[in-house]
Amino acid sequence: MALTGLEIYKLLPQTNCKECSFPTCLAFAMKLAAKQAELKACPYVSEESKAKLEAASAPPIRLVEIAGDDGKLAVGNETVLFRHEKTFFHRPGLFLRVKDSLPAEEIKKQVAAADAFKADYVGIPLTLDGYAIEAASGDPAAFAGAVKAVRAASKKPLILLTSKPDVAKAWLEAASGTRPLLHAADASNWEAMAEVAKAAKVPLVARAETLDDLATLTQSLTKAGLEDLVLDPGVKGPKDSLEKLTTLRRLAIKKNFRPLGFPIITFPGAGGKADDVLLAAEHIAKYAGFIVLDTFDPASLYGLLVLRQNIYTDPQKPIQVQPGMYEINNPKDDSPVLVTTNFSITYFAIANEVEGSGWPAWLVVTDAEGMSVLTAWAAGKFDSERIAKAVKTVGVEGKVKHRKVIIPGHVAVLSGELEGDLPGWTIMVGPREAVDIGAFLKAMWVN
Amino acid sequence: MAVEIPKEKWSGTVREVTLGATREQGGTRTRTLTVGGETAMPHHAFEGSFPHPPALALEVRDRKPTDWSPLLLQAWGAAMDDPAAWAKAAEQAGAELIFLTLSATLADGKANTAANARAVVRKVLEATGLPLAVIGPGQAEIDNELIVAAAEEGKGERLLIGTCEDKNYRTIVAGALANDHVVQSKTPMDVNLSKQLVILIHDMGLPLERIIMDPTTGALGYGIEYGYSVMERLRLAALQGDSMTQQPLIVTPGEEGWKVKEAKVGEGVPAAWGDWNRRALNWEALTANALIYAGADIIVLRHPETLRRLRGVVDALMAA
């Protein structure tokens, strides 16, 4: 957690020598706290103070990066408990579990199918983040073979699930050239696992059932020289997950508690009884960094990936949709033309209502800088000129044989001016609320 | 090492609101439903008390809807032809509240009438002993006509009635005052508007124990994050002691979830979306599930299978 100016001041020489170019040490401390100056500007700060200040400026949750043959994933470095306080920065990775006990050909087939998954969400491609290979067989050779099989089918990052140091070593060779996550060190094997992880320079998961044991373990691993750690608190079900993951996030962010300031890995399908899709969803919203799924089902994966996208959207910057022309229900040359703004919620509200009503329509989305109709109108971002420009440039004139355009009821006042800006077009004033669009079209749209 | 677990203590509590009235209380319900009473952020049972689980409601319409997904038509079958049969089926499916929504029009396309609203409310009250919500189609004039009639018909039953919105709340609140009901105070995803409408409704003389806030729900992929964060902020404000934000929250993931393409249709969508039935059920369930963690007190669903799945989550969260 960041130190205050006064806390920093106590660690400075307090001689007011001005060599940092600030008039006093206190002024320099204030600038440091505001991140407007760098500590190296002070030639006299003690090594001890320097170490303390550097430690304090480290993020409360360490950023841990893994990499496959192609593609990286970094998680951690979060700063808030609730997304509205700032934003959630690093989306948790969704991994699919693959067992090494399957024949190599079967592994390749499964991974290739999952790797081909790609859905589009408002122009953002959604895919799995990688594979968690489980040493179910206990045979180092089988495990190495499985790693090779997965790498043959996918270039995405890997998580290696084994608690046996010798198996982990065999993986080391098979996965060389990538940076996987090794899972896991526990109270019984940590020294050997730490050595393996250290030699391979890969991040290591620390696993323990209680937070006390987990903190003890991470301290041992830190002393052994490992910096990139991930926590597996062995969560079971929705309630245990919420308590442990919330507590871990709080300890890191509010208490700057270093032993537990690492990203978290969860296995929503382990433990049996819980609905694994809904538990994975909880882990997305509440604080997991890596989530290992037991099954590949596009019907649940797509929803989970969209949820992750939504929760990790920056609340200060709402999603805007691309301005342009959108086709709804396969419109023809006699279908209505509707105009709205590019605020995502506005767009979704209109698109949904039109779609639900069954009416084919052309939806012209103007660039209103991501504002809703009334806000954009009040701010001058959704005026006659902008609407006319959009209608003229999106190519709708070539798509319809009529010349009628429907504007939102909230900007009825624009219709006169718009008739001037769009010569030849009839301006129709639509309903104020999206929910009334179906009824409006039914009553007013006559060809 | 012993880790000192940080706990948060709050000064505020979410208000308890009770729906439904038994015979002794002047109604005919066989059971009542109380929600609210939380003293910590959603389901942080390790540092607060949660006297009532989030309630799971099922939506029932006054007539078979023409625009619902075929998957929902399959799930409810012939029960949808009669609101009384539908309400019974919803009770059997495990609903704790029947969320009856009235359509703007009758089956013949003419405007819905007060007489029809009364008849439907009467039928549903007779078909089930569960508490009942009666919600208008969301158009001010029709809402006022239908809901006032429904409020009179259900006098003493402690219904949840709505929709109260900033432009149209007076008539419905008056109906609640005259007939001893609770109102749904709905605002479009904004903390201050939520609070303001509660103040306006309360100023008319309705006790705060009879107001439930509807912060407006966005479906997964269609704005869920706005409602989610508004709910978290409302709950934080409530726990910090801001009295006018301490109302329980009702959300409608059933309606929103089933409106979107991902749930509604099975053809002409990308193959990457997977099996339609499972995807559609996930869409409703994922929307509802996220809102449980944001503080939802009443969750209105449409599919019985979603209710079953959410029941598992709620039971797990409330387990001792």
Side-chain angles (χ1 to χ4, degrees), chain A residues 83 117 121 212 216 239 250 254 275 282 286 297 302 310 318 355, chain B residues 1 3 8 47 221 226 229 232 261-262 272 278 293 309 319:
Chain A
R83 58 186 292 282
F117 175 87
Y121 172 66
D212 289 357
T216 305
K239 183 177 169 146
R250 269 192 202 159
K254 297 208 156 175
D275 184 317
E282 180 195 330
K286 296 294 174 187
D297 177 9
Y302 175 49
N310 291 164
E355 184 147 338
Chain B
M1 74 178 291
V3 177
E8 289 186 348
E47 61 188 8
Y226 295 88
S229 283
E232 288 195 329
K261 191 152 70 176
E262 279 84 349
R278 288 203 304 281
Y293 294 98
R309 289 176 76 184

PDB file of all heavy atoms in Angstrom, chain A residues 83 117 121 212 216 239 250 254 275 282 286 297 302 310 318 355, chain B residues 1 3 8 47 221 226 229 232 261-262 272 278 293 309 319:
ATOM      1  N   ARG A  83     -15.470  -2.898  -8.128  1.00  0.00           N
ATOM      2  CA  ARG A  83     -15.028  -2.380  -9.417  1.00  0.00           C
ATOM      3  C   ARG A  83     -15.310  -0.886  -9.586  1.00  0.00           C
ATOM      4  O   ARG A  83     -14.559  -0.180 -10.243  1.00  0.00           O
ATOM      5  CB  ARG A  83     -15.616  -3.191 -10.580  1.00  0.00           C
ATOM      6  CG  ARG A  83     -17.111  -3.249 -10.619  1.00  0.00           C
ATOM      7  CD  ARG A  83     -17.609  -4.178 -11.716  1.00  0.00           C
ATOM      8  NE  ARG A  83     -17.336  -3.663 -13.052  1.00  0.00           N
ATOM      9  CZ  ARG A  83     -18.042  -2.712 -13.641  1.00  0.00           C
ATOM     10  NH1 ARG A  83     -19.061  -2.146 -13.018  1.00  0.00           N
ATOM     11  NH2 ARG A  83     -17.743  -2.304 -14.851  1.00  0.00           N
ATOM     12  N   PHE A 117     -12.190 -22.696 -30.175  1.00  0.00           N
ATOM     13  CA  PHE A 117     -13.296 -21.889 -29.683  1.00  0.00           C
ATOM     14  C   PHE A 117     -12.951 -20.408 -29.781  1.00  0.00           C
ATOM     15  O   PHE A 117     -11.944 -19.944 -29.250  1.00  0.00           O
ATOM     16  CB  PHE A 117     -13.626 -22.231 -28.234  1.00  0.00           C
ATOM     17  CG  PHE A 117     -14.684 -21.339 -27.638  1.00  0.00           C
ATOM     18  CD1 PHE A 117     -16.029 -21.637 -27.790  1.00  0.00           C
ATOM     19  CD2 PHE A 117     -14.333 -20.176 -26.966  1.00  0.00           C
ATOM     20  CE1 PHE A 117     -17.002 -20.800 -27.275  1.00  0.00           C
ATOM     21  CE2 PHE A 117     -15.306 -19.335 -26.434  1.00  0.00           C
ATOM     22  CZ  PHE A 117     -16.649 -19.644 -26.593  1.00  0.00           C
ATOM     23  N   TYR A 121     -17.661 -10.773 -28.981  1.00  0.00           N
ATOM     24  CA  TYR A 121     -18.546  -9.989 -28.123  1.00  0.00           C
ATOM     25  C   TYR A 121     -18.248  -8.518 -28.372  1.00  0.00           C
ATOM     26  O   TYR A 121     -17.150  -8.052 -28.076  1.00  0.00           O
ATOM     27  CB  TYR A 121     -18.327 -10.362 -26.665  1.00  0.00           C
ATOM     28  CG  TYR A 121     -19.061  -9.448 -25.705  1.00  0.00           C
ATOM     29  CD1 TYR A 121     -20.457  -9.437 -25.664  1.00  0.00           C
ATOM     30  CD2 TYR A 121     -18.364  -8.602 -24.861  1.00  0.00           C
ATOM     31  CE1 TYR A 121     -21.125  -8.585 -24.806  1.00  0.00           C
ATOM     32  CE2 TYR A 121     -19.031  -7.752 -23.990  1.00  0.00           C
ATOM     33  CZ  TYR A 121     -20.413  -7.744 -23.965  1.00  0.00           C
ATOM     34  OH  TYR A 121     -21.083  -6.904 -23.122  1.00  0.00           O
ATOM     35  N   ASP A 212      -3.747 -19.310   7.582  1.00  0.00           N
ATOM     36  CA  ASP A 212      -2.549 -19.365   8.445  1.00  0.00           C
ATOM     37  C   ASP A 212      -1.478 -20.236   7.790  1.00  0.00           C
ATOM     38  O   ASP A 212      -0.317 -19.842   7.673  1.00  0.00           O
ATOM     39  CB  ASP A 212      -2.901 -19.962   9.814  1.00  0.00           C
ATOM     40  CG  ASP A 212      -3.743 -19.006  10.660  1.00  0.00           C
ATOM     41  OD1 ASP A 212      -3.988 -17.870  10.201  1.00  0.00           O
ATOM     42  OD2 ASP A 212      -4.149 -19.400  11.768  1.00  0.00           O
ATOM     43  N   THR A 216       2.210 -19.177   6.119  1.00  0.00           N
ATOM     44  CA  THR A 216       3.446 -19.831   6.552  1.00  0.00           C
ATOM     45  C   THR A 216       4.195 -20.365   5.328  1.00  0.00           C
ATOM     46  O   THR A 216       5.406 -20.180   5.182  1.00  0.00           O
ATOM     47  CB  THR A 216       3.111 -21.018   7.494  1.00  0.00           C
ATOM     48  OG1 THR A 216       2.321 -20.512   8.562  1.00  0.00           O
ATOM     49  CG2 THR A 216       4.374 -21.674   8.028  1.00  0.00           C
ATOM     50  N   LYS A 239     -19.886 -20.357  -0.505  1.00  0.00           N
ATOM     51  CA  LYS A 239     -19.723 -19.625   0.749  1.00  0.00           C
ATOM     52  C   LYS A 239     -18.247 -19.566   1.155  1.00  0.00           C
ATOM     53  O   LYS A 239     -17.717 -18.500   1.476  1.00  0.00           O
ATOM     54  CB  LYS A 239     -20.547 -20.321   1.840  1.00  0.00           C
ATOM     55  CG  LYS A 239     -20.504 -19.597   3.159  1.00  0.00           C
ATOM     56  CD  LYS A 239     -21.387 -20.294   4.177  1.00  0.00           C
ATOM     57  CE  LYS A 239     -21.113 -19.707   5.550  1.00  0.00           C
ATOM     58  NZ  LYS A 239     -22.312 -19.666   6.367  1.00  0.00           N
ATOM     59  N   ARG A 250      -8.825  -8.415   0.771  1.00  0.00           N
ATOM     60  CA  ARG A 250      -8.751  -7.367   1.795  1.00  0.00           C
ATOM     61  C   ARG A 250      -7.395  -7.312   2.470  1.00  0.00           C
ATOM     62  O   ARG A 250      -6.850  -6.227   2.705  1.00  0.00           O
ATOM     63  CB  ARG A 250      -9.788  -7.656   2.884  1.00  0.00           C
ATOM     64  CG  ARG A 250     -11.098  -7.017   2.644  1.00  0.00           C
ATOM     65  CD  ARG A 250     -11.886  -7.152   3.929  1.00  0.00           C
ATOM     66  NE  ARG A 250     -13.300  -7.043   3.655  1.00  0.00           N
ATOM     67  CZ  ARG A 250     -14.240  -7.499   4.472  1.00  0.00           C
ATOM     68  NH1 ARG A 250     -13.904  -8.104   5.588  1.00  0.00           N
ATOM     69  NH2 ARG A 250     -15.498  -7.347   4.169  1.00  0.00           N
ATOM     70  N   LYS A 254      -6.068  -3.794   1.813  1.00  0.00           N
ATOM     71  CA  LYS A 254      -6.284  -2.887   2.949  1.00  0.00           C
ATOM     72  C   LYS A 254      -5.181  -2.995   3.996  1.00  0.00           C
ATOM     73  O   LYS A 254      -4.912  -2.035   4.700  1.00  0.00           O
ATOM     74  CB  LYS A 254      -7.638  -3.185   3.597  1.00  0.00           C
ATOM     75  CG  LYS A 254      -8.791  -2.932   2.638  1.00  0.00           C
ATOM     76  CD  LYS A 254     -10.036  -2.558   3.383  1.00  0.00           C
ATOM     77  CE  LYS A 254     -10.947  -1.769   2.484  1.00  0.00           C
ATOM     78  NZ  LYS A 254     -12.227  -1.479   3.146  1.00  0.00           N
ATOM     79  N   ASP A 275     -22.644 -26.186  -8.353  1.00  0.00           N
ATOM     80  CA  ASP A 275     -22.862 -25.940  -9.777  1.00  0.00           C
ATOM     81  C   ASP A 275     -21.584 -25.265 -10.296  1.00  0.00           C
ATOM     82  O   ASP A 275     -21.298 -24.119  -9.961  1.00  0.00           O
ATOM     83  CB  ASP A 275     -24.078 -25.008  -9.901  1.00  0.00           C
ATOM     84  CG  ASP A 275     -24.490 -24.750 -11.338  1.00  0.00           C
ATOM     85  OD1 ASP A 275     -23.601 -24.531 -12.183  1.00  0.00           O
ATOM     86  OD2 ASP A 275     -25.705 -24.750 -11.602  1.00  0.00           O
ATOM     87  N   GLU A 282     -18.889 -16.916  -9.876  1.00  0.00           N
ATOM     88  CA  GLU A 282     -18.580 -16.228  -8.611  1.00  0.00           C
ATOM     89  C   GLU A 282     -17.090 -15.898  -8.552  1.00  0.00           C
ATOM     90  O   GLU A 282     -16.692 -14.790  -8.162  1.00  0.00           O
ATOM     91  CB  GLU A 282     -18.966 -17.098  -7.411  1.00  0.00           C
ATOM     92  CG  GLU A 282     -18.645 -16.409  -6.082  1.00  0.00           C
ATOM     93  CD  GLU A 282     -18.674 -17.337  -4.869  1.00  0.00           C
ATOM     94  OE1 GLU A 282     -19.442 -18.322  -4.884  1.00  0.00           O
ATOM     95  OE2 GLU A 282     -17.929 -17.064  -3.919  1.00  0.00           O
ATOM     96  N   LYS A 286     -15.598 -12.354  -7.943  1.00  0.00           N
ATOM     97  CA  LYS A 286     -14.985 -12.203  -6.627  1.00  0.00           C
ATOM     98  C   LYS A 286     -13.615 -12.857  -6.574  1.00  0.00           C
ATOM     99  O   LYS A 286     -13.421 -13.901  -5.953  1.00  0.00           O
ATOM    100  CB  LYS A 286     -15.918 -12.735  -5.538  1.00  0.00           C
ATOM    101  CG  LYS A 286     -17.227 -11.942  -5.417  1.00  0.00           C
ATOM    102  CD  LYS A 286     -16.994 -10.503  -4.944  1.00  0.00           C
ATOM    103  CE  LYS A 286     -18.275  -9.681  -4.977  1.00  0.00           C
ATOM    104  NZ  LYS A 286     -18.013  -8.248  -4.686  1.00  0.00           N
ATOM    105  N   ASP A 297     -17.492 -26.625 -22.586  1.00  0.00           N
ATOM    106  CA  ASP A 297     -18.833 -26.526 -23.161  1.00  0.00           C
ATOM    107  C   ASP A 297     -19.038 -25.076 -23.605  1.00  0.00           C
ATOM    108  O   ASP A 297     -19.164 -24.182 -22.770  1.00  0.00           O
ATOM    109  CB  ASP A 297     -19.889 -26.909 -22.121  1.00  0.00           C
ATOM    110  CG  ASP A 297     -21.306 -26.742 -22.679  1.00  0.00           C
ATOM    111  OD1 ASP A 297     -21.451 -26.510 -23.900  1.00  0.00           O
ATOM    112  OD2 ASP A 297     -22.269 -26.838 -21.893  1.00  0.00           O
ATOM    113  N   TYR A 302     -18.965 -19.395 -23.184  1.00  0.00           N
ATOM    114  CA  TYR A 302     -19.286 -18.104 -23.799  1.00  0.00           C
ATOM    115  C   TYR A 302     -19.857 -17.142 -22.744  1.00  0.00           C
ATOM    116  O   TYR A 302     -19.415 -16.006 -22.616  1.00  0.00           O
ATOM    117  CB  TYR A 302     -20.279 -18.319 -24.955  1.00  0.00           C
ATOM    118  CG  TYR A 302     -20.790 -17.052 -25.599  1.00  0.00           C
ATOM    119  CD1 TYR A 302     -19.921 -16.049 -25.988  1.00  0.00           C
ATOM    120  CD2 TYR A 302     -22.153 -16.863 -25.812  1.00  0.00           C
ATOM    121  CE1 TYR A 302     -20.399 -14.875 -26.574  1.00  0.00           C
ATOM    122  CE2 TYR A 302     -22.633 -15.704 -26.396  1.00  0.00           C
ATOM    123  CZ  TYR A 302     -21.755 -14.710 -26.769  1.00  0.00           C
ATOM    124  OH  TYR A 302     -22.232 -13.561 -27.332  1.00  0.00           O
ATOM    125  N   ASN A 310     -17.576  -8.122 -18.827  1.00  0.00           N
ATOM    126  CA  ASN A 310     -18.433  -7.103 -18.200  1.00  0.00           C
ATOM    127  C   ASN A 310     -17.865  -6.643 -16.862  1.00  0.00           C
ATOM    128  O   ASN A 310     -17.774  -5.450 -16.588  1.00  0.00           O
ATOM    129  CB  ASN A 310     -19.846  -7.661 -17.980  1.00  0.00           C
ATOM    130  CG  ASN A 310     -20.618  -7.885 -19.273  1.00  0.00           C
ATOM    131  OD1 ASN A 310     -21.617  -8.575 -19.276  1.00  0.00           O
ATOM    132  ND2 ASN A 310     -20.163  -7.303 -20.383  1.00  0.00           N
ATOM    133  N   PRO A 318     -17.567   3.573 -20.162  1.00  0.00           N
ATOM    134  CA  PRO A 318     -18.541   2.571 -20.591  1.00  0.00           C
ATOM    135  C   PRO A 318     -18.248   2.084 -22.011  1.00  0.00           C
ATOM    136  O   PRO A 318     -17.682   2.824 -22.816  1.00  0.00           O
ATOM    137  CB  PRO A 318     -19.874   3.320 -20.533  1.00  0.00           C
ATOM    138  CG  PRO A 318     -19.539   4.759 -20.467  1.00  0.00           C
ATOM    139  CD  PRO A 318     -18.161   4.882 -19.929  1.00  0.00           C
ATOM    140  N   GLU A 355     -35.287  -6.252 -32.105  1.00  0.00           N
ATOM    141  CA  GLU A 355     -35.137  -7.673 -32.372  1.00  0.00           C
ATOM    142  C   GLU A 355     -36.300  -8.471 -31.795  1.00  0.00           C
ATOM    143  O   GLU A 355     -36.894  -9.320 -32.444  1.00  0.00           O
ATOM    144  CB  GLU A 355     -33.825  -8.144 -31.764  1.00  0.00           C
ATOM    145  CG  GLU A 355     -33.568  -9.579 -32.084  1.00  0.00           C
ATOM    146  CD  GLU A 355     -32.095  -9.860 -32.243  1.00  0.00           C
ATOM    147  OE1 GLU A 355     -31.317  -8.932 -32.512  1.00  0.00           O
ATOM    148  OE2 GLU A 355     -31.755 -11.020 -32.086  1.00  0.00           O
TER     149      GLU A 355
ATOM    150  N   MET B   1       1.908 -19.324  10.550  1.00  0.00           N
ATOM    151  CA  MET B   1       1.733 -18.051  11.256  1.00  0.00           C
ATOM    152  C   MET B   1       0.251 -17.731  11.384  1.00  0.00           C
ATOM    153  O   MET B   1      -0.565 -18.128  10.556  1.00  0.00           O
ATOM    154  CB  MET B   1       2.470 -16.937  10.496  1.00  0.00           C
ATOM    155  CG  MET B   1       1.773 -16.507   9.218  1.00  0.00           C
ATOM    156  SD  MET B   1       2.623 -15.163   8.360  1.00  0.00           S
ATOM    157  CE  MET B   1       2.376 -13.779   9.448  1.00  0.00           C
ATOM    158  N   VAL B   3      -2.706 -15.465  10.940  1.00  0.00           N
ATOM    159  CA  VAL B   3      -3.067 -14.300  10.140  1.00  0.00           C
ATOM    160  C   VAL B   3      -4.233 -13.591  10.828  1.00  0.00           C
ATOM    161  O   VAL B   3      -5.228 -14.228  11.191  1.00  0.00           O
ATOM    162  CB  VAL B   3      -3.495 -14.724   8.722  1.00  0.00           C
ATOM    163  CG1 VAL B   3      -3.943 -13.519   7.906  1.00  0.00           C
ATOM    164  CG2 VAL B   3      -2.363 -15.460   8.024  1.00  0.00           C
ATOM    165  N   GLU B   8     -15.068  -6.219   8.823  1.00  0.00           N
ATOM    166  CA  GLU B   8     -15.632  -4.883   8.715  1.00  0.00           C
ATOM    167  C   GLU B   8     -16.900  -4.776   9.530  1.00  0.00           C
ATOM    168  O   GLU B   8     -17.756  -5.647   9.483  1.00  0.00           O
ATOM    169  CB  GLU B   8     -15.868  -4.537   7.241  1.00  0.00           C
ATOM    170  CG  GLU B   8     -14.544  -4.322   6.568  1.00  0.00           C
ATOM    171  CD  GLU B   8     -14.634  -3.820   5.138  1.00  0.00           C
ATOM    172  OE1 GLU B   8     -15.735  -3.842   4.565  1.00  0.00           O
ATOM    173  OE2 GLU B   8     -13.580  -3.424   4.625  1.00  0.00           O
ATOM    174  N   GLU B  47     -18.885 -11.882   8.899  1.00  0.00           N
ATOM    175  CA  GLU B  47     -18.766 -10.641   9.675  1.00  0.00           C
ATOM    176  C   GLU B  47     -20.101  -9.917   9.868  1.00  0.00           C
ATOM    177  O   GLU B  47     -20.103  -8.764  10.305  1.00  0.00           O
ATOM    178  CB  GLU B  47     -17.768  -9.693   9.007  1.00  0.00           C
ATOM    179  CG  GLU B  47     -18.170  -9.290   7.598  1.00  0.00           C
ATOM    180  CD  GLU B  47     -17.077  -8.514   6.885  1.00  0.00           C
ATOM    181  OE1 GLU B  47     -15.955  -8.426   7.421  1.00  0.00           O
ATOM    182  OE2 GLU B  47     -17.356  -8.005   5.790  1.00  0.00           O
ATOM    183  N   GLY B 221     -23.884  -9.412 -20.608  1.00  0.00           N
ATOM    184  CA  GLY B 221     -23.496  -8.978 -21.955  1.00  0.00           C
ATOM    185  C   GLY B 221     -24.225  -7.738 -22.428  1.00  0.00           C
ATOM    186  O   GLY B 221     -23.884  -7.166 -23.457  1.00  0.00           O
ATOM    187  N   TYR B 226     -23.462  -2.374 -15.045  1.00  0.00           N
ATOM    188  CA  TYR B 226     -23.967  -1.101 -14.520  1.00  0.00           C
ATOM    189  C   TYR B 226     -24.855  -1.358 -13.306  1.00  0.00           C
ATOM    190  O   TYR B 226     -24.685  -0.755 -12.247  1.00  0.00           O
ATOM    191  CB  TYR B 226     -24.763  -0.349 -15.587  1.00  0.00           C
ATOM    192  CG  TYR B 226     -23.932   0.083 -16.757  1.00  0.00           C
ATOM    193  CD1 TYR B 226     -23.743  -0.749 -17.854  1.00  0.00           C
ATOM    194  CD2 TYR B 226     -23.317   1.336 -16.771  1.00  0.00           C
ATOM    195  CE1 TYR B 226     -22.973  -0.363 -18.934  1.00  0.00           C
ATOM    196  CE2 TYR B 226     -22.548   1.739 -17.839  1.00  0.00           C
ATOM    197  CZ  TYR B 226     -22.376   0.889 -18.922  1.00  0.00           C
ATOM    198  OH  TYR B 226     -21.605   1.273 -19.977  1.00  0.00           O
ATOM    199  N   SER B 229     -22.819  -2.735 -10.279  1.00  0.00           N
ATOM    200  CA  SER B 229     -22.074  -1.748  -9.491  1.00  0.00           C
ATOM    201  C   SER B 229     -22.998  -0.783  -8.751  1.00  0.00           C
ATOM    202  O   SER B 229     -22.690  -0.370  -7.637  1.00  0.00           O
ATOM    203  CB  SER B 229     -21.090  -0.975 -10.382  1.00  0.00           C
ATOM    204  OG  SER B 229     -19.962  -1.787 -10.633  1.00  0.00           O
ATOM    205  N   GLU B 232     -23.947  -2.630  -5.666  1.00  0.00           N
ATOM    206  CA  GLU B 232     -22.862  -2.647  -4.667  1.00  0.00           C
ATOM    207  C   GLU B 232     -22.750  -1.285  -3.976  1.00  0.00           C
ATOM    208  O   GLU B 232     -22.562  -1.199  -2.761  1.00  0.00           O
ATOM    209  CB  GLU B 232     -21.524  -3.017  -5.321  1.00  0.00           C
ATOM    210  CG  GLU B 232     -21.453  -4.484  -5.711  1.00  0.00           C
ATOM    211  CD  GLU B 232     -20.037  -4.973  -6.022  1.00  0.00           C
ATOM    212  OE1 GLU B 232     -19.203  -4.178  -6.513  1.00  0.00           O
ATOM    213  OE2 GLU B 232     -19.768  -6.162  -5.785  1.00  0.00           O
ATOM    214  N   LYS B 261     -30.681 -12.096 -27.431  1.00  0.00           N
ATOM    215  CA  LYS B 261     -30.557 -13.081 -28.505  1.00  0.00           C
ATOM    216  C   LYS B 261     -29.935 -14.388 -28.010  1.00  0.00           C
ATOM    217  O   LYS B 261     -30.353 -15.478 -28.406  1.00  0.00           O
ATOM    218  CB  LYS B 261     -29.704 -12.474 -29.617  1.00  0.00           C
ATOM    219  CG  LYS B 261     -29.721 -13.281 -30.880  1.00  0.00           C
ATOM    220  CD  LYS B 261     -29.479 -12.425 -32.102  1.00  0.00           C
ATOM    221  CE  LYS B 261     -28.056 -11.896 -32.185  1.00  0.00           C
ATOM    222  NZ  LYS B 261     -27.803 -11.143 -33.403  1.00  0.00           N
ATOM    223  N   GLU B 262     -28.938 -14.267 -27.122  1.00  0.00           N
ATOM    224  CA  GLU B 262     -28.223 -15.455 -26.654  1.00  0.00           C
ATOM    225  C   GLU B 262     -29.182 -16.477 -26.037  1.00  0.00           C
ATOM    226  O   GLU B 262     -28.948 -17.675 -26.105  1.00  0.00           O
ATOM    227  CB  GLU B 262     -27.155 -15.065 -25.625  1.00  0.00           C
ATOM    228  CG  GLU B 262     -25.864 -14.554 -26.242  1.00  0.00           C
ATOM    229  CD  GLU B 262     -25.917 -13.067 -26.596  1.00  0.00           C
ATOM    230  OE1 GLU B 262     -27.023 -12.480 -26.558  1.00  0.00           O
ATOM    231  OE2 GLU B 262     -24.857 -12.509 -26.910  1.00  0.00           O
ATOM    232  N   ALA B 272     -20.126 -20.823 -32.063  1.00  0.00           N
ATOM    233  CA  ALA B 272     -19.331 -20.739 -30.831  1.00  0.00           C
ATOM    234  C   ALA B 272     -20.201 -20.524 -29.593  1.00  0.00           C
ATOM    235  O   ALA B 272     -19.735 -20.672 -28.476  1.00  0.00           O
ATOM    236  CB  ALA B 272     -18.313 -19.601 -30.943  1.00  0.00           C
ATOM    237  N   ARG B 278     -28.812 -25.104 -23.124  1.00  0.00           N
ATOM    238  CA  ARG B 278     -27.883 -24.892 -22.005  1.00  0.00           C
ATOM    239  C   ARG B 278     -27.417 -23.435 -21.954  1.00  0.00           C
ATOM    240  O   ARG B 278     -27.290 -22.850 -20.887  1.00  0.00           O
ATOM    241  CB  ARG B 278     -26.674 -25.835 -22.128  1.00  0.00           C
ATOM    242  CG  ARG B 278     -26.999 -27.284 -21.825  1.00  0.00           C
ATOM    243  CD  ARG B 278     -25.751 -28.062 -21.416  1.00  0.00           C
ATOM    244  NE  ARG B 278     -24.683 -28.001 -22.400  1.00  0.00           N
ATOM    245  CZ  ARG B 278     -24.637 -28.716 -23.506  1.00  0.00           C
ATOM    246  NH1 ARG B 278     -25.599 -29.566 -23.769  1.00  0.00           N
ATOM    247  NH2 ARG B 278     -23.631 -28.608 -24.347  1.00  0.00           N
ATOM    248  N   TYR B 293     -24.489 -11.742  -5.620  1.00  0.00           N
ATOM    249  CA  TYR B 293     -23.269 -11.262  -4.959  1.00  0.00           C
ATOM    250  C   TYR B 293     -23.227  -9.738  -4.894  1.00  0.00           C
ATOM    251  O   TYR B 293     -22.373  -9.167  -4.223  1.00  0.00           O
ATOM    252  CB  TYR B 293     -22.023 -11.826  -5.662  1.00  0.00           C
ATOM    253  CG  TYR B 293     -21.955 -13.322  -5.497  1.00  0.00           C
ATOM    254  CD1 TYR B 293     -22.404 -14.177  -6.498  1.00  0.00           C
ATOM    255  CD2 TYR B 293     -21.523 -13.873  -4.300  1.00  0.00           C
ATOM    256  CE1 TYR B 293     -22.402 -15.548  -6.323  1.00  0.00           C
ATOM    257  CE2 TYR B 293     -21.519 -15.240  -4.117  1.00  0.00           C
ATOM    258  CZ  TYR B 293     -21.957 -16.076  -5.128  1.00  0.00           C
ATOM    259  OH  TYR B 293     -21.963 -17.430  -4.935  1.00  0.00           O
ATOM    260  N   ARG B 309     -31.322 -24.186  -9.883  1.00  0.00           N
ATOM    261  CA  ARG B 309     -29.868 -23.963  -9.780  1.00  0.00           C
ATOM    262  C   ARG B 309     -29.548 -22.870  -8.758  1.00  0.00           C
ATOM    263  O   ARG B 309     -28.615 -22.988  -7.981  1.00  0.00           O
ATOM    264  CB  ARG B 309     -29.301 -23.550 -11.146  1.00  0.00           C
ATOM    265  CG  ARG B 309     -29.281 -24.673 -12.146  1.00  0.00           C
ATOM    266  CD  ARG B 309     -28.795 -24.179 -13.496  1.00  0.00           C
ATOM    267  NE  ARG B 309     -27.356 -23.979 -13.542  1.00  0.00           N
ATOM    268  CZ  ARG B 309     -26.719 -23.471 -14.609  1.00  0.00           C
ATOM    269  NH1 ARG B 309     -27.406 -23.095 -15.671  1.00  0.00           N
ATOM    270  NH2 ARG B 309     -25.417 -23.339 -14.601  1.00  0.00           N
ATOM    271  N   ALA B 319     -25.860 -21.650   4.343  1.00  0.00           N
ATOM    272  CA  ALA B 319     -25.586 -22.792   5.219  1.00  0.00           C
ATOM    273  C   ALA B 319     -24.795 -22.331   6.443  1.00  0.00           C
ATOM    274  O   ALA B 319     -23.957 -21.440   6.359  1.00  0.00           O
ATOM    275  CB  ALA B 319     -24.811 -23.853   4.453  1.00  0.00           C
TER     276      ALA B 319
END
